[in-house]
DNA sequence: ATAAAGTATGAAACGCGTTTCATAGCAAAT
DNA sequence: ATTTGCTATGAAACGCGTTTCATACTTTAT
């Protein structure tokens, strides 16, 4: 494939001039510009982006680290990122980690190797200190509350307290909590708030999908001591719970109230009460923070949407 | 940042030797290897990936073109791609197009500029001829039936016929069809098959999400001539339909049968009959096809899962 | 003993666009 | 008439790792 020097030769100009033409720099006479463009045309020239990246030291690619693409929570954040990236003509490199250290490291190494201009970590398993140590190679934004790095987050502690408050006001006393993984900043915040506000503890882990919700109902029914309300990981789990309740004749919300997280279409459609999280904005803000010079922590608000399950 | 020449100097060897050490080439004496590694360590050297990419002419990055990330159909394919990519330590660059020409072009241009080693197009709006014209710059795989390019696909024509057959055998006569966009290879195949098998026509477009399903029911109820069965775009639309039917006292499947596509968890959970599509495999196959030398068309099977809505 | 094969190493070219610096002509300002 | 400033253009350096080629020394095979 023809390169810029071939073009220079063909157009009888210097490579600098070719580069100027290609980049719309001023200070190129019309005739030379024309000559270059003709050469470009006839030799079917196009830039090698890797050379551009190397030379410029930038790629206009940002990495996005997330555990699962298909989970609505993350795909919405991703969507927000994509939307904002599109504005600046940046591209997105995806690192689906499944919460594996190695995969997260790959992303960090790509940043280090200048393949990425920045990195957005939607969720992680690596220690914060490790992530931070890479921040000297480029901007890193986290979607959780941290003090050392740029971050966008939701105050999950408060959201849980608000949810519990809401449930208690409606007369529910034995409030349970469903969560996905056992570790993680966001999870910890939820658990801490929960333990702070509730004496009895009904905590269900590994609750992530519809079928997990169904499983939880079965689990609850087997037990004599059962919650009368649940704060649910997300709308999908709630949908599963709702579904299995119907099958088993458990009346929602009388026998079991449900307050889920995310407030996706599904919640609206099934009339599930839900804590709305501005995930799209979260992605957008995360992207914007990449190019913010000063350290910033950006908190986003949640809001409780009251429907028929509470 | 130190580069390979600095290392060479510090270790008193040639750059070739440094490169050999960094790439685990044989033919390096232990002492030189040690010297290089020490220099790498003390100067905190790490490769500039853009230089590697330029030099090697490869990036180990594949582009994925899809309209919407958050749509389960595509996020599942993406998942399959990601899974397979992870095996070869390839990375994924995401091009969410919203079916905009420009975005698709960006992906194609990235391939042309050697930023990508290959491209998987999950769905497109650009004419096939345009896509094909870029295939000289790198492998392109489509997720639809084509004769000119590598592709993985499902025979949507047959799947519609099978669905209709199934519905007819159960006694339904006025079969309707819901679709998303009006154009597209997959859509066309479905429409063609539908028109071929059904004399009456009940076709609903822009059916993609839960709320679209609800809307469709409202629309159906307003009309005197209504279908008694629907072939539905995907499980989400079916869920919306199911939901709105319940609200309006329409009994499923007696008054309205539903056969959806994709067979996601949602369908299982709501006991919706669905045509299972091997989307994960589709993604995996698509990725594998990128590195297949010979032209290949790979058809994947669908299967009809009979549940309570038919 | 000699050819053949393998080990080890470095110089230089290669992949390729961008950018700085120097140079030179020409117009506007003093 | 002279300085200042802008327009135009090219040579060369820069970003940086990889790879080929040539060279030279060891071994192993014949």
């Amino acid at each position: 494939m023809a390169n810029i020097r071939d073009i220079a030769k063909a157009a009888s100009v210097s490579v600098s001039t070719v580069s100027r033409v290609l980049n719309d720099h001023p200070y190129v006479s019309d005739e030379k510009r024309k000559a270059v463009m003709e050469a470009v045309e006839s030799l079917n020239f196009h830039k090698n982006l890797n050379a551009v990246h190397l030379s410029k030291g930038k790629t206009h690619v940002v990495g996005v680290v997330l555990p699962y693409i298909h989970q609505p929570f993350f795909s919405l954040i991703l969507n927000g990122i994509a939307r904002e990236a599109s504005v600046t003509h940046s591209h997105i490199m995806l690192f689906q980690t499944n919460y594996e250290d190695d995969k997260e490291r790959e992303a960090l190494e790509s940043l280090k190797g200048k393949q990425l201009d920045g990195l957005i970590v939607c969720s992680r398993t690596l220690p914060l200190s490790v992530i931070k140590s890479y921040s000297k190679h480029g901007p890193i934004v986290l979607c959780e509350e941290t003090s050392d790095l740029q971050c966008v987050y939701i105050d999950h502690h408060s959201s849980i307290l608000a949810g519990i408050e809401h449930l208690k006001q409606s007369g529910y006393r034995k409030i349970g909590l469903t969560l996905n993984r056992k570790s993680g900043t966001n999870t910890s915040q939820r658990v801490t708030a929960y333990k702070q506000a509730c004496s009895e503890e009904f905590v269900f882990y590994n609750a992530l999908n519809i079928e997990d919700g169904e499983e939880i109902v079965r689990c609850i029914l087997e037990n004599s001591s059962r919650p009368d309300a649940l704060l649910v990981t997300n709308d999908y789990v709630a949908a599963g719970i709702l579904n299995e309740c119907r099958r088993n004749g458990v009346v929602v919300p009388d026998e079991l109230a449900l307050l889920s997280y995310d407030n996706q279409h599904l919640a609206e459609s099934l009339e599930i009460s839900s804590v709305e999280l501005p995930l799209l904005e979260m992605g957008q803000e995360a992207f914007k923070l990449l190019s913010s010079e000063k350290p910033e922590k950006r908190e986003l608000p949640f809001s409780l949407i009251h429907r028929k399950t509470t």
Side-chain angles (χ1 to χ4, degrees), chain A residues 178 207-210 212-213 216 232-242:
Chain A
T178 82
L208 188 58
N209 298 311
I210 293 195
D212 300 326
I216 285 170
V232 184
T233 326
N234 62 43
D235 301 322
Y236 284 78
V237 176
I241 293 175
L242 202 56

Side-chain angles (χ1 to χ4, degrees), chain A residues 44-198:
Chain A
N44 193 22
F45 169 84
H46 52 92
K47 288 187 192 177
N48 180 317
L49 294 176
N50 293 135
V52 177
H53 297 331
L54 171 60
S55 186
K56 287 253 183 81
K58 287 191 70 178
T59 59
H60 296 284
V61 178
V62 305
V64 177
V65 171
L66 40 71
Y68 318 109
I69 317 169
H70 59 278
Q71 212 181 304
F73 181 89
F74 293 111
S75 87
L76 258 178
I77 296 179
L78 184 55
N79 230 281
I81 297 171
R83 186 170 298 187
E84 207 58 36
S86 150
V87 174
T88 62
H89 291 282
S90 292
H91 291 147
I92 289 175
M93 196 140 126
L94 206 58
F95 294 86
Q96 182 177 31
T97 65
N98 302 304
Y99 283 129
E100 289 162 28
D101 285 10
D102 292 356
K103 292 286 173 55
E104 287 183 27
R105 266 242 152 63
E106 273 184 27
L108 292 164
E109 288 293 324
S110 291
L111 181 69
K112 192 172 172 180
K114 290 183 174 297
Q115 187 174 20
L116 304 175
D117 285 355
L119 195 64
I120 296 173
V121 179
C122 300
S123 189
R124 65 178 170 88
T125 46
L126 283 179
L128 208 53
S129 58
V130 173
I131 309 253
K132 205 192 161 190
S133 72
Y134 279 85
S135 68
K136 60 169 172 285
H137 299 113
I140 300 180
V141 174
L142 292 192
C143 295
E144 67 184 78
E145 192 174 353
T146 63
S147 42
D148 302 328
L149 288 164
Q150 307 280 64
C151 62
V152 215
Y153 63 95
I154 288 156
D155 184 348
H156 291 284
H157 189 94
S158 299
S159 80
I160 285 286
L161 291 184
I164 291 174
E165 178 61 26
H166 171 73
L167 289 170
K168 283 191 170 167
Q169 278 187 354
S170 305
Y172 299 102
R173 286 293 168 268
K174 289 153 70 182
I175 299 170
L177 178 67
T178 82
L179 297 164
N180 180 19
R181 55 182 189 147
K182 302 215 170 182
S183 55
T185 306
N186 295 340
T187 295
S188 313
Q189 289 187 346
R190 290 188 186 185
V191 171
T192 308
Y194 173 74
K195 291 192 174 169
Q196 183 182 318
C198 298

